[in-house]
Amino acid sequence: MAKNTTVYFCTECGYEVSGWMGKCPSCGAWNTLVSSQSVTGSGKSKKTSPSANEAPVYSTDKYAWTDSKGTVPLKDAGKASYSRTSTGITEVDRVLGGGLTDGSVVLVGGEPGIGKSTLLLQLAESFKSQKSILYVSGEESHSQIGMRAERLGVKNERIILCAETCFENIAEELGKIKPGLCIIDSIQTLYSDNLNGTPGSVAQAREVTAGLIRLAKNNNLSIILVGHVTKDGTIAGPKTLEHMVDTVLYFEGDNMGSYRILRSIKNRFGRSNELTFFEMCEDGLRPVESASKLLLSGRPVNVPGSVLTTTLEGTKSLTIEIQALITDSPYGTAQRMTSGLDRNRVAMLLAISEKILKIPVTGKDAFINVIGGIKINDYACDLAIIAAIVSSYKNIVPRDNTLIIGEVGLTGELRPATQIYKRINEALNLGITSIVLPGSCKKQIEEMNNKNTLNNTNNSTKHCDKMFKCEFFYVDNLFEAIDVIFSDR
């Protein structure tokens, strides 16, 4: 008989304890410990198939998560090169760091109906591999998947469907088919016969994921897992799932809108924080070639409270619009509402505006928004946020077609922005005619002018005639910046 032992897992960090606690000893989160059954000995299943803890393999070692054994000096490490296979979707390859790495496990999270299954079915259609693709669905039948494939025009004969939720059966199918890619939709529907608990529970999700990782690492198999999300947008289940896999992607967007954002939160084989845009059409998702043009489409002209700035997302620069609305508060306490920005950071910039620029915003409601649903944490957008606040409060229009860059200190000084050449290059392609930036960036701009070249995102060089047609304004503090931004008004 199997021996059941109740243990408690933290849903935030995966820390395990034998008894319940109000506060997790590892991460310090409150009320995150949930009970789960830990099973030892023989399970309820009489099958001869190994459990998730002993995931079957069809090559190499039986238990190892990686194909490396023993210890080696650091100088001898890293000799092997990981091979990548293109997904057939250029923007997805860029987010993954150049393609899907063989033997990697990718976790894709997103809200219901956002388009996760649609994207992965299109990826299976275009996957550049001669091997078959196994699409495992625990939520839809074969006919449902077939209907979606017909609507999307997916006709790849190498795609094999499997409507299964038992880990042992899926592992057996993987051993027979030996595909080049396996898509699991979703990880919360899978269970192991050798563990107690319902599908999606902490123990089931963790152990089944561990078994799939062993299969991927030991057999050089790429696996994509679909994960459900909670109300606050994080992937459901223990936080250890995100630590265990190689890459974590979030699929974001508004179900009522047509645009989606695919963002990499973690990537062991490339840069994190990369993102790309997709447009949802009748025949599926289409990559958006110019994200900046998309974000600026429909932008109002000569309207107070609207300014342009730039932010870095991984290796990509995005030109974005920030809007501010400062209005009298009907309440005793003024509201501070933000969308796409850190609320604490905006509160600090409001305080700087009041202290340095003498703008009385204490009794005013402040609403700050990043157009397009982008979430940014780039301090180089500080000056643009303050400019939008000043523009809305004084009801004056900023300089037309101007890009505003710069981090603002507590004393009103302006700090330099990183990778200024990428930011400027993206903006110039959109027809920006003037740029306001910190004086400490002047040396970098002069060096680029002298060379008459500008680095692009592919580390190559191109002639920069547009750069000489653009007017640069170098400012050292808030007073100079505000004077320049609103000087022609």
Side-chain angles (χ1 to χ4, degrees), residues 108-120 139 148 185-186 188 226-236 249-257 259-262 280 285 373 375:
V108 181
E111 295 182 356
I114 202 69
K116 301 184 298 297
S117 300
T118 298
L119 177 64
L120 295 181
E139 301 175 346
R148 179 187 292 113
D185 188 7
S186 65
Q188 277 83 10
V226 175
H228 296 164
V229 296
T230 59
K231 291 186 294 183
D232 58 357
T234 59
I235 295 179
L249 305 179
Y250 274 86
F251 209 37
E252 307 168 356
D254 185 2
N255 289 335
M256 301 302 295
Y259 295 104
R260 307 287 188 268
I261 301 173
L262 183 65
M280 179 65 78
L285 291 160
K375 297 178 182 179

Side-chain angles (χ1 to χ4, degrees), residues 176-189:
K176 294 178 181 178
I177 301 173
K178 298 182 180 180
L181 172 65
C182 177
I183 298 174
I184 307 290
D185 188 7
S186 65
I187 187 61
Q188 277 83 10
T189 61

Side-chain angles (χ1 to χ4, degrees), residues 93-113:
D93 287 345
R94 185 178 60 80
V95 172
L96 292 172
L100 195 59
T101 306
D102 295 345
S104 65
V105 180
V106 179
L107 179 62
V108 181
E111 295 182 356

Side-chain angles (χ1 to χ4, degrees), residues 23 27 86 119 124 141 148 162 196 226 230 266 273 311 342 368 374 383 385 446 451 465 476:
K23 181 180 180 180
C27 65
S86 174
L119 177 64
S141 64
R148 179 187 292 113
C162 177
N196 286 344
V226 175
T230 59
K266 168 189 174 182
N273 295 323
T311 183
D342 181 16
I368 317 294
I374 297 293
L383 182 57
I385 296 173
E446 289 178 346
K451 294 180 180 179
D465 293 332
D476 295 319

